[in-house]
Amino acid sequence: MAADHALSVAQLVKGFRRRAGLTQEALAERADLSVRAIRTLEGGRRRYPRESTLHQLAAAFGLSAAEQEQLAAAAGRGRGESSGIPRQLPPGLDDFTGRTKELDDLVRLLREADVVAPSVVISAVGGMGGIGKTTLAVEACRLAAEHYPDGQLYLNLGGGSRPVPAAEALATVLAAMEVPPADDPSDVQAAASRYRTSIAGRRMLVLLDDAVSAEQVTPLIPGTSGSAVVITSRNQLTTVPGVRYLGLEVLSEVEAVALLGEVAGREQVEADPEAALEVVRRCGLLPLAVRIAGSHPSIQEGGGLAVLAGLLAAGDKRLEVLSAPGRGVGPSINLSVQALAASGRAGDPACALALPVLAVLEGDRFPLRVAAAVLDLPMEETEDLLERLVDVHLLETPALRQYRMHDLVRDVGRERADLELTGSERDRIRRRELQCYFAMVWRSSELQPSKKHPVEATGWSAGAEDVTDPRAALAWLESELGNVLRVIRAAAGGGPQERLIAARMAWGVHRLSLVRMQFAEARDALLAALDCDLPPEAEPDRLWTALGQICLALGQYDRAKGYLRLALPLARARQDAMQVACCLVELGTVLVRTGAAAEAVELAAEALALAPRVDFVLAESNANLVAGMAAGAIGDLAGQRAAFDAVIANHRARGAGDGPLMHLMYMGFSLAESGRYEQGLAMLTGVLERSRVEGPVMAEFDALEHLGRAWWSFGDLVTAAEYFELALAIAVRHPGDNREAGIRHLLGSVEAEAGRPGLARPHWERAIALYDHVADPAADEVRNLLQATPG
């Protein structure tokens, strides 16, 4: 190729490649570069490649000495070696991957600065250590550099290790611009004035990397339009006047896998995509972690990504794996913690001390109230502390008064906890967390207006008395049910006192499930509490009864019967009349549903005899309800009517109308099932209308299911199917209680009986899959139906 020093790097590379008859892929292989790097060079998006890249290209092309000089001159032109114009941007990454939108937005802002901005364009890129702030900023500045012909300045402000004072930073940039220093180098105001005077009228791009504060960067902001400043920082520098803040999150899984492929080799990702996904997930989708993982020796030694994924799966070794000479995820994150500890800002050292305490908490997030409990601080002071940790990107806040810690930040925090916290301090943290959730469960229960299950005067809500809004309390608990279950399981594996708290908390969750009419979490909590050696004061008969009650509500009658038969002798042995009566009522209801109404009659009679001894306003109504249902099931219509009339009379005498929805629902279905269709359907229709007004939504589901069953027993399969379809829609929207399987079971049976096996089979197949997922033996019943139904 003829020498032409006016040619750009892009033109030269493209020309040399075509002369050699190489594709971009072939050149990449010959030069040991990525295809992306070749495309970036030829597309003009990297005008100043690294010196090592130039040597690799020259060798690949077989360039003469003159051609090598030509390429080097093109790559060095404008850098400032001879022009006097500063070109200080660091080299970019040949394998820059992802961040497409963020990069496009930042480049567009820089390229259009003179059009869209009447003043200096300032963009701050923030995020946690290792998130790729500098990488993105450098890439964007290099792509926009040609729009700033008067130069590009770069200054590392040392925020993560040794913050550079403003006076020192100003002296550095003045020297780069060949401006004599001020008479007094320590006079920040004078130096800033000289800097702004010298940059006025120029178009310059200033990259301030790793800034620590707005105060540090403000003197470095030009005073006139035409120039632009890009700042990276671990802090949220939203207080810089006129700043446009770009907060970086972790990569998407697709971007992280693509980055892993660029570093480790695409063939590695293509050979084992599942392991690649596991690796980036174990890296927390953090770019620095993915880059280090992609160059881990296990890959080069032939182990592949599966071996690397296994190494990263050992949580206590993850930070060790994600370390490389001169860099590492742990040190990067630790810089932020150390900066807080050494900060002169009030409260920052306390934030550094709080991080290891918060890292001890399990779970993927925690609320403000729990953080205040474990830190033993007032809520307001705790919120200020947590928000400061958010500012420096050591915490995230996905919702109001909710906080989340990145997995790798938690790893760093736990390493610090190993050094800073004793075993007894860790135990105290866990006890405070447990007590906080325990108090909130019972405070939420106390505040609910329902009198169906009165709250004992236990004092178990101590510490949560400041919560006074029933709806807010219930909403808080609903958002925290995952953590509640977690601490119950942990306490169930602890000492006697913790096991007692686990049992009482599970009981409280059950009580609240009756208000919410959603039972999956309560069932799991009770099972966790019962899966340990409970002390007698935990009253395990209550828990077994509650578990039976939940299974009854979910239509799992065999399980309900088993749990209640375990509970009844325990309640009798404890001589707790109220608990015995409750167990008798629940067991009697299950027996009616499973065809053992004669035994249910006996249990109802015993419950009625106990009612006068029970300090519970619904005891007599509950016993009469079961008596009426059992009477209807054995054809004693007179006994059914008398019992149900007694239920309604009891409610009316207390000023409670005809009674709670659940009583009316059971009565309506019993009436319809025993042949009193008009009366039963009218009652159930009224229940449905009330449930849609009063809620919760699962009460509407139950009303729809009972109406479907009633119309089915009446022989109207079309109407029954319509009600089951409406109930199915609710079950699909609220999958937590696994009600979808049961309603599909019923719907498939109705469709089959109506002679529509083609419509029945998909419902049954889905029901089997859902039953199998929770190991429900009802799956076998549905399989038998499926096998016995032709077509």
Side-chain angles (χ1 to χ4, degrees), residues 669-758:
F669 180 63
S670 176
L671 290 168
E673 196 174 40
S674 61
R676 296 176 176 179
Y677 298 110
E678 185 175 343
Q679 186 179 357
L681 290 170
M683 186 172 287
L684 288 172
T685 301
V687 169
L688 178 60
E689 292 172 353
R690 274 185 58 187
S691 69
R692 285 172 169 167
V693 174
E694 300 174 13
V697 69
M698 284 306 166
E700 180 183 350
F701 172 91
D702 286 337
L704 290 167
E705 180 187 345
H706 280 81
L707 270 166
R709 287 176 178 273
W711 281 105
W712 188 7
S713 67
F714 184 52
D716 188 339
L717 301 179
V718 173
T719 305
E722 290 174 354
Y723 280 113
F724 286 152
E725 288 281 5
L726 291 171
L728 175 60
I730 294 175
V732 170
R733 292 200 308 270
H734 301 273
D737 283 341
N738 304 313
R739 297 190 186 222
E740 183 183 346
I743 203 68
R744 285 192 184 277
H745 185 167
L746 293 171
L747 189 51
S749 299
V750 167
E751 296 290 7
E753 190 172 322
R756 296 188 291 267

Side-chain angles (χ1 to χ4, degrees), residues 152-213:
Q152 300 90 42
L153 298 171
Y154 171 82
L155 187 61
N156 188 327
L157 294 176
S161 52
R162 188 193 71 83
V164 177
E168 182 181 330
L170 284 164
T172 301
V173 295
L174 287 172
M177 297 171 66
E178 300 182 353
V179 176
D183 295 336
D184 181 3
S186 64
D187 188 339
V188 173
Q189 293 293 338
S193 176
R194 185 169 294 224
Y195 163 67
R196 287 173 179 145
T197 299
S198 65
I199 205 172
R202 301 192 194 187
R203 288 188 53 77
M204 297 190 73
L205 180 57
V206 182
L207 174 52
L208 304 176
D209 193 18
D210 203 11
V212 70
S213 66

Side-chain angles (χ1 to χ4, degrees), residues 395-613:
L395 285 182
E396 302 165 350
T397 178
L400 181 65
R401 296 192 165 189
Q402 289 280 345
Y403 298 89
R404 180 172 58 213
M405 190 178 289
H406 189 280
D407 285 351
L408 294 172
V409 175
R410 181 181 286 107
D411 286 353
V412 169
R414 287 180 176 172
E415 281 192 347
R416 298 181 74 90
D418 290 342
L419 298 173
E420 299 173 16
L421 300 176
T422 65
S424 60
E425 286 173 328
R426 285 172 173 268
D427 290 341
R428 186 159 55 248
I429 290 167
R430 294 191 178 96
R431 285 197 302 271
R432 286 174 175 169
E433 180 190 26
L434 174 63
Q435 186 60 44
C436 179
Y437 280 116
F438 179 63
M440 279 299 293
V441 165
W442 282 96
R443 183 58 175 163
S444 298
S445 186
E446 287 174 353
L447 292 172
Q448 299 313 309
S450 173
K451 302 300 181 184
K452 184 176 180 181
H453 292 275
V455 177
E456 300 87 342
T458 57
W460 293 345
S461 64
E465 297 88 349
D466 60 300
V467 180
T468 57
D469 184 338
R471 291 187 178 181
L474 192 58
W476 187 93
L477 196 66
E478 286 179 333
S479 70
E480 288 298 311
L481 280 172
N483 280 325
V484 169
L485 288 176
R486 173 178 57 77
V487 299
I488 288 175
R489 291 188 179 107
Q497 185 60 31
E498 288 189 343
R499 295 200 298 272
L500 177 60
I501 291 176
R504 289 174 173 172
M505 193 185 305
W507 172 243
V509 173
H510 161 66
R511 294 163 63 101
L512 288 166
S513 74
L514 300 176
V515 178
R516 301 168 60 241
M517 291 294 288
Q518 296 182 41
F519 303 107
E521 295 89 359
R523 176 195 58 210
D524 293 345
L526 290 163
L527 286 170
L530 285 163
D531 190 27
C532 66
D533 184 17
L534 291 176
E537 56 267 38
E539 300 173 350
D541 54 295
R542 282 194 183 200
L543 306 189
W544 287 119
T545 302
L547 199 50
Q549 188 177 26
I550 286 173
C551 291
L552 170 59
L554 295 176
Q556 299 169 354
Y557 301 131
D558 288 338
R559 288 184 177 181
K561 189 191 305 182
Y563 294 142
L564 291 165
R565 289 201 187 281
L566 279 173
L568 186 55
L570 294 175
R572 292 190 196 282
R574 207 161 53 82
Q575 297 183 343
D576 185 331
M578 180 173 173
Q579 192 58 34
V580 171
C582 180
C583 192
L584 290 169
V585 165
E586 300 297 341
L587 183 55
T589 304
V590 174
L591 293 172
V592 171
R593 290 294 182 87
T594 55
E599 184 182 353
V601 171
E602 297 176 6
L603 297 182
E606 184 181 352
L608 275 170
L610 285 172
R613 297 166 47 195

